[in-house]
Amino acid sequence: KAGVTQTPRYLIKTRGQQVTLSCSPISGHRSVSWYQQTPGQGLQFLFEYFSETQRNKGNFPGRFSGRQFSNSRSEMNVSTLELGDSALYLCASSLLADYEQYFGPGTRLTVT
Amino acid sequence: TQLLEQSPQFLSIQEGENLTVYCNSSSVFSSLQWYRQEPGEGPVLLVTVVTGGEVKKLKRLTFQFGDARKDSSLHITAAQPGDTGLYLCAGHGNYKLTFGKGTLLTVNP
């Protein structure tokens, strides 16, 4: 069974631009979560989707948004990029609510 | 706010040594997971513990969940260079994982 895939793996953007990251969960998994990882803050929860519904959202500004499609694939969008948004963005999928999560390799975003 | 604190933050040991890393929480989670992450990759799930007092063994790794389900430990026996990585504990609840900041383990040959 294929794992969680994320595209692109690396991205360089300029301040003020926007970016869209994509995540394809493990086949059959309906829950997709997004996390931001930085050296200073560690892994921080962004949001979780289950059957196209956002069920929980972390403490991030409204510039961070996401969505999930009917095939469980998910995207997250960051608008008006800031230097502090440079991070590894990780997507994780799980079979059911409150179940074990499996992570993708992440998208390394650099904002210059 | 639920917090997970991990200690030590950094650990550098020689091959063959034993080690223990700790994860302590300010509150109870429905389950606790341990992950290992290598540079540039996503965390890989090692184990999930659910029941207070639970002990799970995975080859040379032993995981314990405290009776009150607020703390956990990971013990590695006879560490090998391949054990090098960032060890993260995460508490599961309310449709999300809350992570500790991790223990960065280096095992020198």
Side-chain angles (χ1 to χ4, degrees), chain A residues 57-85:
Chain A
K57 188 177 192 302
N59 189 25
F60 279 84
R63 299 185 297 107
F64 291 82
S65 63
R67 60 178 175 170
Q68 186 181 34
F69 302 96
S70 58
N71 62 358
S72 294
R73 192 177 69 85
S74 178
E75 290 181 346
M76 67 163 283
N77 183 277
V78 188
S79 62
T80 319
L81 284 165
E82 300 178 359
L83 294 178
D85 297 333

Side-chain angles (χ1 to χ4, degrees), chain B:
Chain B
T1 303
Q2 295 176 313
L3 292 174
L4 282 169
E5 294 198 8
Q6 291 189 243
S7 61
Q9 189 176 355
F10 300 97
L11 190 56
S12 180
I13 62 171
Q14 295 299 123
E15 183 176 1
E17 292 183 1
N18 301 332
L19 67 113
T20 302
V21 298
Y22 300 92
C23 174
N24 294 296
S25 170
S26 59
S27 54
V28 176
F29 291 95
S30 58
S31 67
L32 195 138
Q33 298 175 358
W34 284 92
Y35 292 83
R36 182 173 70 213
Q37 185 179 22
E38 298 188 17
E41 298 296 327
V44 175
L45 180 65
L46 296 174
V47 78
T48 298
V49 286
V50 178
T51 306
E54 185 175 4
V55 178
K56 281 192 174 180
K57 292 191 176 184
L58 186 67
K59 297 182 181 179
R60 294 177 293 100
L61 279 60
T62 301
F63 303 86
Q64 287 190 300
F65 200 16
D67 290 340
R69 293 166 59 212
K70 294 174 68 174
D71 57 276
S72 181
S73 64
L74 159 60
H75 182 80
I76 301 178
T77 303
Q80 299 175 0
D83 296 325
T84 292
L86 179 67
Y87 287 82
L88 295 157
C89 67
H92 207 174
N94 198 24
Y95 310 125
K96 70 175 185 179
L97 286 174
T98 300
F99 281 88
K101 292 199 173 181
T103 293
L104 185 59
L105 172 66
T106 303
V107 182
N108 302 298

